[in-house]
C-alpha cells in the first residue's frame, strides 16, 4: 500500500466518515469501519488525526459548512430583511449540497445534528461562530422578534424550522443516492420548502402564550 501524507490521510478519513455516518448514523458507524474504508492499517488513525469521533464529525461538518458558506456569502447581501427572502437564501445555500453525492451524504449527516446548532441557547456551535450562516439565523430571529414572538417561543420555532429544512433536504438527498424518483422536481420541491418554512416561522402567536 502506498504511503500517504497527513493531509491526504485526513481527507480519506473524512470521506469515509461522510459515507458511513450517512448510511449507518452518526452514532451507529464504527470507527474501525471508517478507518478500514479509508484504507488505513492503523486502527487508531481517527484518534491520531482528529482526537475522537466528535473531532472527526466536526471535521466533516466544517467541510460541509465551508461549501455552503461560499454560496451563502454571495446570496445573503441580496436576501433583503423579510423572512421569506432570508429563508430563500438559507434553503438555496443548503440545497447546493444536493448537486454532488458528497454533499448529499453530508446533508444526511447534518440532519442528525440539527439540535446541536446552538439556536436554542443563542450560543453557536464552535463551527458556526462568526459564519454567514449564523448571521442569517440572527437576521431571521430579529424579524420574528419584530412580530412580537416571546423569546423562548421564537427560539423554539426557529430551531424547529431549521430542523424541518434539514430533514427535508436529507430525505431528498437519500432519494437521489438511492436512485428513487422524487414526487416533485427539484425547483418545485425547493420553492415549496421555502413557502412551508416561511409559513411555520410567520404563524400567528398562539393565544395561550
Amino acid at each position: 500500500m502506498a504511503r500517504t501524507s497527513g493531509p491526504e490521510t485526513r481527507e480519506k478519513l473524512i470521506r469515509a466518515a461522510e459515507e458511513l455516518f450517512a448510511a449507518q448514523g452518526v452514532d451507529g458507524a464504527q470507527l474501525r469501519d471508517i478507518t478500514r474504508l479509508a484504507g488505513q492499517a492503523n486502527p487508531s488513525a481517527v484518534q491520531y488525526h482528529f482526537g475522537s469521533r466528535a473531532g472527526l464529525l466536526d471535521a466533516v461538518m466544517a467541510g460541509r459548512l465551508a461549501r455552503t458558506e461560499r454560496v451563502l456569502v454571495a446570496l445573503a447581501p441580496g436576501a433583503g430583511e423579510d423572512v421569506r427572502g432570508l429563508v430563500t437564501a438559507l434553503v438555496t445555500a443548503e440545497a447546493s449540497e444536493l448537486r454532488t453525492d458528497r454533499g448529499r451524504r453530508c446533508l444526511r449527516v447534518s440532519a442528525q445534528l440539527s439540535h446541536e446548532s446552538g439556536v436554542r441557547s443563542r450560543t453557536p456551535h464552535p463551527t458556526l461562530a462568526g459564519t454567514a450562516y449564523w448571521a442569517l439565523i440572527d437576521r431571521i430571529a430579529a424579524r420574528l422578534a419584530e412580530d412580537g414572538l416571546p423569546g423562548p417561543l421564537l427560539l423554539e420555532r426557529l430551531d424547529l424550522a431549521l430542523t424541518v429544512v434539514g430533514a427535508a433536504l436529507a430525505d431528498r438527498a437519500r432519494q437521489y443516492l438511492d436512485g428513487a424518483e422524487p414526487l416533485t422536481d427539484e425547483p418545485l420541491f425547493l420553492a415549496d420548502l421555502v413557502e412551508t418554512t416561511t409559513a411555520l416561522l410567520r404563524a400567528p402567536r398562539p393565544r395561550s402564550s
Side-chain angles (χ1 to χ4, degrees):
M1 181 182 297
R3 295 183 63 185
T4 57
S5 67
E8 290 173 323
T9 300
R10 281 179 58 89
E11 182 64 16
K12 288 180 179 180
L13 288 166
I14 289 171
R15 292 291 190 115
E18 291 169 352
E19 184 171 340
L20 293 186
F21 284 157
Q24 300 174 10
V26 168
D27 296 319
Q30 300 296 309
L31 294 185
R32 63 176 178 272
D33 294 332
I34 292 173
T35 301
R36 186 180 305 115
L37 183 60
Q40 302 305 305
N42 182 356
S44 300
V46 169
Q47 286 81 358
Y48 177 79
H49 288 280
F50 302 98
S52 64
R53 173 190 293 267
L56 175 58
L57 182 58
D58 282 348
V60 169
M61 288 296 92
R64 177 241 196 281
L65 180 63
R67 294 190 297 273
T68 56
E69 277 284 287
R70 287 193 288 270
V71 179
L72 195 53
V73 166
L75 290 173
E81 293 302 325
D82 67 293
V83 172
R84 188 182 182 282
L86 296 171
V87 170
T88 299
L90 174 71
V91 169
T92 301
E94 295 282 276
S96 65
E97 286 287 86
L98 289 172
R99 298 171 187 165
T100 66
D101 281 353
R102 182 179 195 182
R104 294 164 186 168
R105 293 188 185 102
C106 285
L107 284 171
R108 296 194 65 191
V109 176
S110 58
Q112 302 172 55
L113 308 171
S114 62
H115 291 300
E116 297 183 17
S117 64
V119 167
R120 288 174 180 251
S121 65
R122 297 302 295 268
T123 303
H125 186 279
T127 58
L128 296 178
T131 62
Y133 180 85
W134 191 260
L136 186 64
I137 290 174
D138 273 344
R139 288 165 68 185
I140 295 173
R143 301 292 78 74
L144 297 181
E146 291 175 355
D147 288 346
L149 284 179
L153 181 59
L154 185 158
L155 296 176
E156 202 163 61
R157 186 179 289 189
L158 183 54
D159 189 56
L160 176 60
L162 295 174
T163 299
V164 168
V165 170
L169 291 172
D171 185 63
R172 190 78 176 197
R174 177 193 58 78
Q175 293 176 64
Y176 288 172
L177 289 167
D178 292 347
E181 184 68 28
L183 291 173
T184 59
D185 62 31
E186 190 170 300
L188 178 58
F189 163 73
L190 295 177
D192 189 60
L193 183 57
V194 168
E195 297 301 337
T196 301
T197 306
T198 301
L200 187 162
L201 289 169
R202 298 302 304 272
R205 175 177 173 174
R207 293 179 181 177
S208 61
S209 67

